[in-house]
Structures are given as C-alpha cells and as structure tokens.
Amino acid sequence: MRENTMEISAFDVRAVRAQFPILQRKVNGQNLVYLDNAATVQKPQMVIDALTHYYSHYNANIHRGVHSLAQEATQAYEEARIKIQEHICAAHSHEIIFTMGTTDAINLVMQTWGRSQLSFGDTVLISALEHHSNLVPWHLLKEEKGINIEIIPIHPDGSLDMEAYADLLKKNVKLVCVNHVSNALGSINPIKEMVHMAHEVGAICMIDGAQALPHSKVDVQDLDADFYAFSGHKVYGPTGIGVLYGKEKLLNEMPPWRGGGEMIAAVEYQSSTYNTLPHKFEAGTPNIAGGIALGSAIDFVRSIGVEHIEEHEAQLLESLTQKTAHIDGLKIYGTAEKKAGVFSFLVDGTHPYDVGTLLDQMGVAVRTGHHCAEPLMNHFGIPGTIRASFGCYNTNEEVDVFVHSLERALKMLR
Amino acid sequence: MESLAERKAEILDEFMMFDDWMQKYEHIIELGKELPLIEEQFKTEDHLIKGCQSRVWLHASEGDQGKVHFTADSDAIITKGLIALMIRYLGDLPAKDVASAEMDFIQEIGLQDHLSPTRSNGLVSMVKQMKLYGMALAAKQL
C-alpha cells in the first residue's frame, strides 16, 4: 500500500508532457490545450520513433521471408501482439487479431460470427449508448437476415437500466453489444455483470472497449468478455491499427472474412484451406508499422502505469466538474456515478458549434456535435454536446484555461 | 445597385477594422442577431440543409426584376452571422450574377475554415444551393 502511494506521487505530468512533441505547438497564436482525447490522443515520441525506426531500419514483409529484415519485422510484429495479450490479460496471443481499428473489429465480428451464427428472429441487444460503429454493422445484418435489434435503455444520468436489461435478456438474445465506456457521456458500464447475465441466457457479448482501454485496466478474462475491440490511436498508438480480442473457441468456429495471402494454409485453383489463428483473420500484408508502434504505445502506457493515468484523469474530471459548477445554465450530460475522462455538456442559450468555434480561437480543442451517437442525442432531445475529454498529459492549469476560455466564449454569445 | 465588387470591397473594409479575433467574432455574432428571420413556413424539412455541426434553413425566391431573394436561418449564431454575410453578398442580385459569383472574400476576411466541407456546418451546401438556384433561375429567364 505504502509503495503504491509513493508510485502515485511519482506521477509527474510535466515529465509525461515532455514526451509529446505536438503539445509544444501553438494554435491560433495560443498554447494548445488539447481536450479532444476521446476522439484521438496525441502520440509520445517513442511511438513516433517506433514508426520511423521500422521504416528506416527493418522494413520488410512479415511471416514468410527467410531474410534477416523479414525475420526482424516478423519478430517485432509478433512481440507487439504478445504485449497486447499481456496488457489485456488474454489467455493466448493468437486471440489478439490485428484490425484497422474498433470499427473494423466490430465489422469482423458481424461478418463472421454474426453472419454464420445469427438468423431471422434472433435478437441482438445493443445499448442506447453505442457509437454508430457498434450499431450500423448490426443494421446491415438486420437488412440481410432479419435479425431483431433491441435497445438497452439508460437512466437520465446516462447509466444503463440494468432492470430493463435483465428483462430484455428473456427475448431469445444471441448477442449483447455494449461499450465499456460511453464515448459521448463517459459513463462506465458494469461490463462484468452484463457479461455474466448474458452468459446465463446463452448469449455472447461484444464489448467496444475503445474508450476504456486508454483510461483503465482491462482484464478480458476477468470480464469474461467474448469479444473485446479497441483502437490503437486512442491508446497513444497510430491510426489505422486496432485489435479484436476473441475467445479462442469462438474465433476457431468463425469462418474467415477477407480472403488473400497470409490467411491460408494451402490454396488450389478451386479451393483453399485456411490458416490457424490469428492469421485466419489477417489477410494480406497487414499494417506492420502500426502493429509494432501499437506495441510501443502499450509500453508507454505501462511505463506510466494505467492506474496512475486513471487516477490523474479522475482528478482532472473532478476538478473540471467543480470549477464549472457556478456557470449559469450549464448542464452536464452523463452524471453517472462511475465516469471516465469525459465532460459532455451544453450551456443554455448557446449552440455547441459556437462555443467550440470560440474555444478554438483560444487554442482549446474540444469536440462538438453528436459524437457519432445520434440516437443517444435524439434520446436527450439535443443536437449534440460540447465534449472535453482528458488524456494522461492534461494538467490542472489546462483545466483552468478551459474554464476561463469557456467563460469568455459564453460572455460573447449570451 | 452595387456590383459584386463593391459589395466585396465594403465587407473587406468592415473586417479590416478588427484588431483581433474577438472583435471579428463579436461582429459576426452581431450580424447573426440582425439577420432578418426566415418566415416560419419556410423553416421546414424541405428547406433544411443538414450539417453535422449546425443546421441551416434556406429559402430562395424570384424577387423584383427577376432578382434572387434569399432568406435563411441557422441554429448556431456564428453560422447565422456568416449566412448574413453570404446574403448581403449574393442577395437581390440578377440570377446570372449569383450563379457566377466568386466567394473569395471569405478567405480574405480569414473565415474560410467555416466554409470547409470538413466543418460540416451546412454553409458549404448552403452556398452551393444559393448558386444552383441562381443558375436555375437564370436558365428560366433566358
């Protein structure tokens, strides 16, 4: 316990910031205050270096080459897979499938597990909090197969209505799709309990972890998640790379989706046999540099300690919530007891676009709009919100700049 | 009647006066507040240009001497201020002038970001609609 306390006090946000070159730049003549971390986070030097080092020193196609560069590249790529496996506590490294990102991972599940296991009348339960990426793929399957989509409702504070969830599970449910943390509101969903309840009725769970992994410890075995997807670029890695974790048994049962090189065992002109996991789902030359750099991003997160990041961001969120409490007409969307890193709000008499535009003039980057969660915004009867979201490098001073800039913007608009 | 060049010069002059972004935006907000209201009957789904950030309603009609008359509105005040500028620039002009007008004044007053397609505030589509209406009316008048 004592040791832990010392570690936390050792978290030095200045030292963390120094690793992010982009934080030095100015926007509209002002110091950049980057609070759009739920959209994408900035990259530490070690991740940028991993990309350039790969292309400068050992760029080669992986898995089949006998030459040294190919072996170095293969080793680095597969080491990254193992780092990810260890980070999310998966049982096997072949349960880590590299994808282009969370959206791609969910589409993989829809195209393979969904198309082979779901048929007319089967119910897919989707939470009211979902990002379009965990909604639209299932719409496609609904159009193709006539599956039934039911929505798990939320309480006014943005937490899921667990009683309604329990009731909905009685409806021939085969799959539950839910995000670990809501990108629009920041609410943390009780995933472990939800997975357990789903398994009791024989359903499986697809967890969108894009907003959870950057901010908290994830243990897929403890959660007992069947599928868990996340994006590299939200966890300090590059864009265009992400992960689908799936339980070995499920992944083995699923047919491949994309066909091509790497994913085959043997090919004849009329037929093919497929490779084993994870290669079965990784057709073609993958994003090698991206995978390796994602491994470096995991190293970065582990070097700080995800529990320190969680604690730091929780403190920033608490501080921001307190420091905006006096602002007349400010309404927070998402007031669930358990929240991670997201401050989503509106101010009476102002439009998010106007507030976001003026904040940008003051160097403050926030997101405005529906956050790719249009049905959720419709549920609240609003066009969108203004969302400030934190990363490990944000500071209390930046919270002050944000509050001050917001006050200035509101003065101009109201 | 003022030519497009005169209208442009007038707008540039007006924006030259501002020393910093705050004054500029305060002015745009003011213009937004002064924009005459669109008639309620035209604030419908048919007249709506949906952006992901802000929404714009535009109504165009043939005014006196075959000129194009625009009314518009938005739910965001900065978008509304920019609409007021567009209407001041393109409104009540002969249809062929609307159709062929260059919109480079927006760049010159440093507000081109708002007219970028990635901004998704409905303004790009609005300008396109205004010019299309000008084109259609000009064709009809031939």
Side-chain angles (χ1 to χ4, degrees):
Chain A
M1 190 65 210
R2 187 189 164 92
E3 205 179 306
N4 196 27
T5 316
M6 282 183 66
E7 264 182 38
I8 286 166
S9 64
F11 176 79
D12 177 359
V13 73
R14 301 282 145 207
V16 171
R17 285 182 76 78
Q19 298 184 56
F20 289 81
I22 205 170
L23 298 178
Q24 303 302 316
R25 71 162 282 184
K26 295 201 180 274
V27 169
N28 292 319
Q30 313 286 325
N31 290 329
L32 168 66
V33 175
Y34 187 78
L35 297 175
D36 194 16
N37 295 287
T40 195
V41 295
Q42 301 303 342
K43 315 306 171 199
Q45 191 64 52
M46 63 189 279
V47 168
I48 300 166
D49 287 348
L51 288 169
T52 52
H53 186 68
Y54 165 73
Y55 284 120
S56 313
H57 293 276
Y58 60 103
N59 170 54
N61 212 334
I62 52 170
H63 291 144
R64 306 269 160 157
V66 292
H67 60 81
S68 300
L69 294 189
Q71 285 182 15
E72 283 175 39
T74 303
Q75 194 178 341
Y77 190 70
E78 291 306 325
E79 274 171 9
R81 199 190 301 275
I82 292 168
K83 284 177 192 172
I84 295 160
Q85 174 212 344
E86 289 172 355
H87 190 59
I88 66 170
C89 310
H92 310 285
S93 66
H94 58 250
E95 292 175 324
I96 306 299
I97 312 293
F98 282 118
T99 65
M100 291 188 283
T102 306
T103 299
D104 191 40
I106 296 171
N107 276 278
L108 194 164
V109 172
M110 184 280 275
Q111 292 283 354
T112 63
W113 188 88
R115 291 181 78 186
S116 64
Q117 302 295 319
L118 295 176
S119 42
F120 183 84
D122 286 341
T123 297
V124 173
L125 268 189
I126 302 177
S127 99
L129 294 166
E130 292 317 292
H131 188 282
H132 295 166
S133 63
N134 206 9
L135 197 51
V136 183
W138 308 108
H139 290 168
L140 294 173
L141 202 60
K142 182 179 174 178
E143 284 165 25
E144 183 185 319
K145 294 204 168 231
I147 59 165
N148 176 35
I149 291 174
E150 297 276 351
I151 302 300
I152 310 164
I154 52 171
H155 293 298
D157 68 356
S159 62
L160 286 172
D161 181 339
M162 293 296 283
E163 281 178 28
Y165 174 55
D167 279 345
L168 284 166
L169 279 173
K170 294 168 189 158
K171 293 189 173 182
N172 190 29
V173 175
K174 293 282 165 63
L175 174 69
V176 175
C177 297
V178 61
N179 53 33
H180 197 162
V181 173
S182 155
N183 73 306
L185 308 181
S187 25
I188 304 173
N189 294 317
I191 294 304
K192 193 174 171 178
E193 190 185 345
M194 293 182 78
V195 171
H196 179 71
M197 288 164 72
H199 287 170
E200 288 207 315
V201 300
I204 69 158
C205 263
M206 160 86 236
I207 313 297
D208 168 357
Q211 297 294 340
L213 213 77
H215 309 291
S216 55
K217 178 70 196 147
V218 171
D219 180 333
V220 290
Q221 290 191 82
D222 180 55
L223 294 172
D224 203 15
D226 300 291
F227 296 110
Y228 196 99
F230 67 91
S231 297
H233 71 96
K234 292 197 203 289
V235 63
Y236 306 98
T239 53
I241 188 85
V243 166
L244 173 70
Y245 158 82
K247 282 182 180 165
E248 181 185 38
K249 184 173 173 293
L250 284 168
L251 292 174
N252 272 327
E253 286 164 2
M254 284 152 55
W257 171 25
R258 297 187 175 115
E262 298 267 357
M263 56 74 73
I264 41 81
V267 179
E268 293 177 50
Y269 279 119
Q270 296 296 338
S271 63
S272 315
T273 50
Y274 307 119
N275 206 338
T276 51
L277 294 175
H279 312 293
K280 183 170 89 172
F281 295 111
E282 295 180 359
T285 299
N287 182 353
I288 304 167
I292 294 169
L294 176 54
S296 295
I298 299 293
D299 286 339
F300 167 77
V301 169
R302 293 173 81 116
S303 74
I304 301 179
V306 74
E307 65 283 7
H308 294 166
I309 295 176
E310 188 173 9
E311 184 162 334
H312 176 65
E313 291 172 354
Q315 183 270 318
L316 292 172
L317 183 61
E318 172 70 26
S319 166
L320 178 54
T321 308
Q322 278 175 15
K323 285 176 177 167
T324 49
H326 71 280
I327 296 176
D328 190 32
L330 184 144
K331 182 174 179 199
I332 300 171
Y333 288 85
T335 51
E337 200 182 319
K338 290 185 174 172
K339 270 178 74 175
V342 168
F343 186 77
S344 210
F345 68 102
L346 282 177
V347 185
D348 281 352
T350 65
H351 191 281
Y353 180 77
D354 295 326
V355 177
T357 299
L358 296 180
L359 286 175
D360 176 57
Q361 290 296 317
M362 294 179 262
V364 178
V366 294
R367 183 132 307 231
T368 61
H370 56 51
H371 316 300
C372 290
E374 236 181 304
L376 178 62
M377 297 297 123
N378 292 339
H379 167 82
F380 284 116
I382 54 176
T385 69
I386 306 154
R387 182 186 70 186
S389 53
F390 293 114
C392 65
Y393 40 68
N394 289 124
T395 64
N396 280 305
E397 290 76 20
E398 288 181 314
V399 168
D400 291 339
V401 172
F402 171 77
V403 175
H404 178 69
S405 304
L406 177 63
E407 283 169 337
R408 258 179 101 181
L410 295 178
K411 209 171 150 192
M412 289 173 73
L413 290 166
R414 294 205 284 190
Chain B
M1 188 195 66
E2 289 173 313
S3 69
L4 266 175
E6 283 165 341
R7 288 184 179 190
K8 178 178 164 180
E10 203 179 275
I11 293 170
L12 294 188
D13 269 359
E14 193 174 302
F15 276 80
M16 281 273 286
M17 297 189 314
F18 306 127
D19 299 328
D20 61 15
W21 70 269
M22 247 183 105
Q23 292 177 354
K24 186 160 85 182
Y25 275 93
E26 274 168 351
H27 182 62
I28 294 166
I29 291 165
E30 221 31 65
L31 292 175
K33 288 177 183 162
E34 288 165 9
L35 180 73
L37 291 178
I38 190 171
E39 283 178 58
E40 265 318 302
Q41 56 168 326
F42 299 130
K43 218 171 156 180
T44 59
E45 205 57 34
D46 291 352
H47 294 83
L48 178 65
I49 299 164
K50 222 178 158 188
C52 144
Q53 295 285 344
S54 58
R55 293 183 296 170
V56 171
W57 292 266
L58 174 72
H59 176 69
S61 57
E62 188 172 352
D64 295 342
Q65 300 156 20
K67 288 175 185 164
V68 193
H69 185 70
F70 295 110
T71 53
D73 197 3
S74 172
D75 50 354
I77 191 75
I78 292 173
T79 307
K80 222 170 144 173
L82 290 159
I83 289 173
L85 272 180
M86 308 291 175
I87 291 183
R88 215 166 99 193
Y89 186 62
L90 291 179
D92 297 312
L93 279 181
K96 64 174 178 29
D97 292 357
V98 173
S100 63
E102 294 283 343
M103 304 300 289
D104 52 352
F105 79 95
I106 289 290
Q107 186 137 12
E108 290 183 42
I109 58 177
L111 292 169
Q112 66 277 17
D113 284 357
H114 291 279
L115 260 146
S116 131
T118 54
R119 197 90 183 193
S120 190
N121 54 10
L123 274 177
V124 176
S125 311
M126 186 192 80
V127 170
K128 209 189 257 173
Q129 288 281 337
M130 290 170 95
K131 299 189 71 162
L132 276 175
Y133 190 84
M135 251 181 257
L137 189 60
K140 209 174 93 186
Q141 288 166 351
L142 278 177

